[in-house]
């Protein structure tokens, strides 16, 4: 990490301007940028990017709280969102046969993700610093409605424990102030209590501390001042659109882009080559042809399928139509987008495009533009409650109204993974590793053939980075090949001895191989270094329980519930400990807390019923049975 000169730090400190350090160093508050660039800041504040992430506030309410109840038939659960004293509160419950609410769960919303132009989803943060998404979302179009958030449409969703990863937040918000190295693959994914609110100026212009220091220092000429910040418009085409593509190029939500080996989440800076940071993967979907796939974040993916893009040889791009600082007013849209199209297409002299056939172009309504027909709005397949502009420019999209009709959520059926850009300058080994890892992530590390392909590459010695060893260890563990899982973790630790997940994988593999005391000692050392790493904290509690160290297990699992209060497995483990020690009432209470958090946990429900029977309270079980 580069160290800022003392003079620069002193100048910024004198003006009360905080500067980030660590993994994303050199960033300042966007309000500092606005002091000199007020016009840009004001117009940008209306853009969706500026509203991508924020605290709930009574001043920014768009939801209908008078009709904030939603019943999800697939999971047989009721959802509500309420506003209390300016705060948002999420509630989920079920009903028993008597119509009484059971398994009621409440959680205060800490953060809102999404501008609200199309939708909003809601997050909460644990004491450990982890972020989790709640299942309910607000969809703004057509008057607005409450529905399940994307990914929660089916009965077997993750409930209230869907983790929000650093990779997600790296595109949905400005970079946070986190320790150096904490954004590497395999480190605990924790966030500070205070986070930036919205994608700001510096996500496209780069860290602003040096630029502001030169302005305030008073001894730098204009050339040096300008050189200390990135002007995207002056970058080469690839680097310019790399800024946009870094977040907006996503061929499939089922298999996300891979970070290049050796790159950390917050390491990209405007002006760098995006291909040095990410590897973009495409998929073969057995249910949809490539040209029929349309997700909410498919802007450049669809645009690059257009004849306009192909024949422009890449000159057509995001900025051909969009100024990232300015939201086009509704009454200006038609003229703005028509002008963008006619900057390439010839006019017939009457303000209409000249058609190759020689026929007269149909009249365009005054409030319409070229995009109305050639880039129409259509229903997205991953977020089925919204419509988005389709950036695949076509001559005839077919009946426009049919494109907006409601559709059912149908998950992709992945039968193949490939590089979106096969000519990306990567070694054959890294290309194969990227594809194999994409498959493993999609298949929850259970794709044996992908693990074997990755193992062959790593055995060749061509790759000297630690990241693939994490996936290999996890895949071998899923296959119950614990000796191979341990060997993979140890190989990774030889390259990166401080990676928390590799240390955890080593410990759990050692435990599975019967060396319990050794595994416990390893976890104790890991937790000493990473006290908020709840995965390790919980595994240590489970190891204590598995070796009949009940008091230690109880103390340890209570620590987990303090760090991550919605960790339902920890509450189940606490219930088992209490039951083993003969504390029936405490066990029943812990089981109920776990069921409030995750009512779909069948094994926990069965254990709960059995504990009621042992306590002579079997007649109470019916109260907690969910009505069919």
């Amino acid at each position: 990490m580069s160290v800022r000169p003392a003079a620069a730090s002193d100048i910024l400190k004198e003006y009360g301007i905080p500067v980030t350090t660590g993994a994303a160093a050199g960033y300042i508050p966007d309000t500092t940028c606005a002091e000199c660039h007020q016009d840009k800041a004001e117009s940008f504040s209306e853009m969706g990017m500026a509203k991508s992430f924020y605290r709930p506030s009574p001043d920014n309410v768009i939801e209908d709280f008078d009709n904030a109840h939603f019943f999800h038939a697939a999971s047989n659960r009721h959802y509500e969102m309420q506003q209390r004293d300016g705060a948002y509160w999420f509630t989920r419950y079920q009903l028993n046969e008597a119509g009484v609410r059971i398994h009621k769960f409440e959680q205060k919303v800490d953060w809102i993700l999404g501008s609200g132009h199309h939708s909003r989803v809601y997050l909460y943060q644990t004491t450990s610093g982890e972020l989790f998404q709640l299942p309910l979302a607000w969809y703004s179009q057509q008057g607005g409605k409450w529905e399940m958030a994307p990914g929660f449409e089916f009965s077997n969703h993750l409930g209230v424990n869907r983790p929000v990863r650093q990779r997600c937040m790296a595109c949905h918000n400005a970079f946070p102030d986190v320790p150096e190295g904490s954004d590497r693959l395999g480190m605990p994914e924790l966030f500070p209590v205070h986070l930036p609110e919205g994608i700001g100026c510096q996500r496209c212009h780069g860290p602003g501390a040096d630029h502001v220091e030169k302005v305030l220092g008073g001894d730098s000429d204009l050339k040096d001042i300008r050189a200390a910040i990135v002007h995207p418009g002056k970058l080469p085409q690839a680097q310019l659109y790399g800024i946009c593509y870094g977040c907006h190029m996503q061929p499939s939500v089922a298999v996300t882009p891979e970070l290049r080996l050796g790159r950390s989440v917050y390491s990209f800076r405007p002006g760098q080559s995006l291909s040095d940071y990410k590897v973009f993967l495409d998929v073969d979907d057995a249910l949809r042809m490539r040209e029929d796939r349309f997700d909410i974040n498919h802007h450049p993916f669809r645009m690059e399928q257009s004849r306009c893009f192909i024949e422009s040889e890449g000159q057509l791009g995001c900025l051909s139509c969009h100024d990232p600082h300015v939201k086009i007013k509704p009454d200006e849209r038609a003229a703005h987008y028509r002008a963008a199209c006619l900057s390439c297409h010839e006019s017939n002299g009457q303000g209409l495009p000249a058609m190759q056939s020689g026929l007269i172009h149909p009249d365009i309504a005054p409030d319409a533009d070229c995009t109305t027909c050639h880039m129409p709005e259509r229903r997205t397949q991953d977020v089925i409650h919204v419509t988005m502009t389709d950036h695949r420019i076509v001559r005839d999209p077919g009946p426009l109204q049919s494109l907006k009709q409601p559709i059912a959520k149908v998950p992709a059926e992945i039968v193949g993974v490939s590089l979106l850009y096969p000519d990306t300058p990567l070694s054959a080994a890294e290309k194969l590793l990227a594809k194999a890892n994409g498959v493993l992530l999609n298949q929850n590390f259970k794709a044996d053939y992908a693990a074997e392909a990755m193992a062959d590459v790593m055995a060749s010695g061509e790759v000297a980075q630690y990241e693939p060893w994490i996936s290999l260890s996890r895949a071998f563990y899923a296959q119950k090949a614990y000796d191979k899982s341990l060997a993979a973790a140890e190989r990774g630790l030889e390259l990166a001895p401080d990676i928390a997940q590799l240390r955890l994988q080593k410990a759990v593999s050692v435990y599975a191989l019967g060396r319990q005391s050794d595994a416990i000692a390893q976890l104790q050392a890991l937790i000493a270094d990473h006290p908020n790493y709840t995965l390790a904290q919980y595994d240590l509690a489970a190891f204590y329980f598995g070796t009949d160290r009940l008091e230690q297990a109880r103390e340890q699992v209570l620590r987990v519930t303090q760090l991550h209060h919605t960790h339902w497995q920890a509450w189940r483990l606490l219930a088992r400990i209490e039951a083993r020690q003969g504390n029936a009432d405490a066990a029943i209470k812990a089981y109920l807390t776990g069921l409030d958090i995750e009512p779909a946990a069948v094994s926990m429900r069965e254990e709960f019923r059995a504990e009621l029977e042992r306590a002579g309270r079997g007649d109470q079980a019916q109260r907690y049975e969910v009505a069919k």
Side-chain angles (χ1 to χ4, degrees):
M1 183 185 78
S2 61
V3 179
R4 291 185 50 75
S9 300
D10 290 344
I11 291 171
L12 295 172
K13 185 176 181 180
E14 181 181 339
Y15 280 86
I17 300 172
V19 182
T20 62
T21 58
Y27 290 87
I28 57 175
D30 289 313
T31 51
T32 303
C33 307
E35 291 182 17
C36 292
H37 304 282
Q38 185 176 359
D39 57 336
K40 296 288 188 185
E42 288 180 356
S43 62
F44 181 75
S45 68
E46 297 300 316
M47 300 293 290
M49 290 184 291
K51 306 174 183 179
S52 62
F53 188 75
Y54 41 92
R55 291 279 188 188
S57 167
D59 301 326
N60 192 23
V61 174
I62 63 171
E63 299 91 344
D64 180 3
F65 286 107
D66 293 328
N67 298 284
H69 171 269
F70 177 74
F71 174 66
H72 185 225
S75 59
N76 195 16
R77 301 175 195 173
H78 297 259
Y79 295 88
E80 293 177 355
M81 189 71 77
Q82 298 174 331
Q83 193 178 32
R84 307 178 198 164
D85 299 324
Y88 285 34
W89 282 88
F90 166 86
T91 303
R92 185 201 61 204
Y93 61 90
Q94 294 181 290
L95 299 177
N96 65 13
E97 291 292 350
V100 176
R101 292 188 179 190
I102 58 173
H103 304 320
K104 182 178 177 180
F105 172 85
E106 286 194 324
Q107 175 63 50
K108 183 181 178 183
V109 173
D110 293 314
W111 297 100
I112 296 176
L113 190 151
S115 66
H117 293 168
H118 293 90
S119 65
R120 282 179 165 182
V121 297
Y122 307 92
L123 316 182
Y124 68 94
Q125 191 164 14
T126 62
T127 302
S128 65
E130 296 166 280
L131 286 175
F132 294 92
Q133 182 183 345
L134 293 165
L136 195 62
W138 172 255
Y139 295 97
S140 307
Q141 294 176 322
Q142 298 179 327
K145 65 177 179 179
W146 296 98
E147 263 280 7
M148 299 302 285
F152 292 88
E153 296 91 349
F154 303 104
S155 60
N156 58 341
H157 59 71
L158 290 174
V160 297
N161 274 291
R162 183 181 185 180
V164 177
R165 303 299 188 190
Q166 289 176 335
R167 286 283 304 277
C168 305
M169 291 300 296
C171 279
H172 282 283
N173 198 24
F175 290 168
D177 195 348
V178 294
E180 184 177 9
S182 64
D183 61 334
R184 289 179 297 167
L185 181 68
M187 299 302 283
E189 301 207 37
L190 309 177
F191 299 87
V193 173
H194 301 290
L195 288 167
E197 296 195 29
I199 298 166
C201 318
Q202 297 162 92
R203 286 304 308 279
C204 297
H205 293 276
D210 288 343
H211 175 68
V212 173
E213 178 269 321
K214 285 180 167 55
V215 171
L216 297 178
D219 55 0
S220 299
D221 60 27
L222 186 58
K223 181 180 178 181
D224 288 340
I225 290 172
R226 288 176 172 171
I229 198 77
V230 174
H231 188 315
K234 295 183 179 180
L235 293 173
Q237 188 89 343
Q239 280 82 359
L240 168 62
Y241 286 115
I243 296 172
C244 309
Y245 277 36
C247 289
H248 289 282
M249 174 55 88
Q250 188 177 19
S252 171
V253 297
V255 178
T256 58
E258 290 284 304
L259 289 188
R260 290 287 303 273
L261 299 178
R263 293 301 295 260
S264 57
V265 174
Y266 302 126
S267 66
F268 181 76
R269 299 292 180 270
Q272 295 179 349
S273 173
L274 186 61
S275 63
D276 289 338
Y277 175 65
K278 278 186 176 180
V279 182
F280 290 98
L281 300 175
D282 200 359
V283 302
D284 293 323
D285 186 346
L287 304 179
R288 304 179 185 93
M289 298 293 289
R290 187 173 190 267
E291 60 270 20
D292 295 328
R293 293 175 7 224
F294 182 61
D295 291 345
I296 196 169
N297 196 24
H298 261 182
H299 310 86
F301 176 69
R302 297 285 288 180
M303 180 183 68
E304 290 197 353
Q305 299 175 39
S306 306
R307 184 177 173 186
C308 289
F309 177 86
I310 295 168
E311 295 194 5
S312 76
E313 297 182 346
Q315 293 304 303
L316 174 66
C318 314
L319 301 186
S320 300
C321 299
H322 301 289
D323 181 341
H325 300 100
V326 179
K327 183 176 176 63
I328 304 300
K329 295 181 175 61
D331 59 352
E332 298 174 357
R333 284 181 53 87
H336 174 82
Y337 291 112
R338 193 181 302 184
C341 294
L342 292 178
S343 67
C344 291
H345 292 275
E346 294 182 1
S347 170
N348 64 4
Q350 299 176 348
L352 295 172
M355 297 177 65
Q356 288 183 342
S357 64
L359 299 174
I360 302 299
H361 192 286
D363 286 336
I364 301 175
D367 61 345
D369 58 78
C370 310
T371 68
T372 305
C373 292
H374 301 291
M375 298 173 64
E377 281 197 34
R378 59 181 291 184
R379 185 76 51 182
T380 62
Q381 294 161 351
D382 59 333
V383 185
I384 59 174
H385 302 296
V386 306
T387 60
M388 295 286 289
T389 298
D390 186 355
H391 282 62
R392 181 170 178 256
I393 308 166
V394 295
R395 183 172 294 177
D396 180 8
L400 297 181
Q401 193 57 39
S402 66
L403 300 176
K404 296 184 180 182
Q405 293 301 311
I407 60 175
K409 181 71 172 277
V410 180
E413 187 176 314
I414 306 302
V415 294
V417 175
S418 59
L419 264 64
L420 177 65
Y421 303 116
D423 295 332
T424 301
L426 304 175
S427 68
E430 191 172 352
K431 288 181 179 180
L432 195 154
L433 287 173
K435 291 187 287 185
N437 199 55
V439 173
L440 285 174
L441 290 169
N442 178 260
Q443 299 296 319
N444 200 24
F445 295 94
K446 295 178 180 178
D448 296 358
Y449 65 93
E452 291 171 5
M454 181 176 284
D456 288 342
V457 172
M458 298 308 291
S460 72
E462 295 180 59
V463 175
Q465 281 84 11
Y466 75 88
E467 292 94 338
W469 293 113
I470 295 179
S471 293
L472 265 181
S473 181
R474 293 185 67 179
F476 287 139
Y477 192 88
Q479 297 170 28
K480 299 185 178 181
Y482 302 124
D483 53 344
K484 291 184 178 181
S485 177
L486 173 59
E490 289 178 332
R491 290 291 301 275
L493 287 168
E494 291 173 5
L495 299 168
D498 58 335
I499 296 300
Q501 190 169 350
L502 284 169
R503 295 172 66 184
L504 178 61
Q505 284 299 126
K506 179 181 178 181
V508 297
S509 300
V510 165
Y511 188 89
L513 290 168
R515 293 155 48 193
Q516 288 93 342
S517 296
D518 189 8
I520 287 171
Q522 290 181 31
L523 282 188
Q524 289 171 335
L526 174 56
I527 289 168
D529 293 336
H530 299 282
N532 285 356
Y533 192 16
T534 54
L535 285 176
Q537 293 272 10
Y538 173 76
D539 282 347
L540 180 58
F543 289 0
Y544 283 145
F545 181 73
T547 53
D548 290 323
R549 305 183 196 185
L550 297 186
E551 281 304 319
Q552 287 175 287
R554 187 177 186 281
E555 180 181 345
Q556 180 62 33
V557 80
L558 286 173
R559 191 171 298 127
V560 177
T561 63
Q562 292 165 0
L563 289 171
H564 179 180
H565 63 285
T566 58
H567 197 304
W568 66 267
Q569 296 96 332
W571 289 104
R572 180 180 63 185
L573 181 55
L574 177 61
R576 289 172 174 174
I577 295 168
E578 299 288 8
R580 181 86 62 88
Q581 293 182 317
N583 303 323
D585 288 345
I588 290 168
K589 183 179 179 181
Y591 275 128
L592 280 174
T593 301
L595 287 168
D596 288 346
I597 297 167
E598 186 44 80
V602 175
S603 62
M604 181 164 57
R605 186 175 296 278
E606 291 172 350
E607 291 176 22
F608 169 62
R609 291 195 199 103
E611 187 61 29
L612 284 174
E613 290 289 344
R614 280 193 293 271
R617 296 163 56 181
D619 58 323
Q620 297 179 16
Q622 188 63 33
R623 168 181 169 78
Y624 299 103
E625 294 297 323
V626 180
K628 302 299 183 182

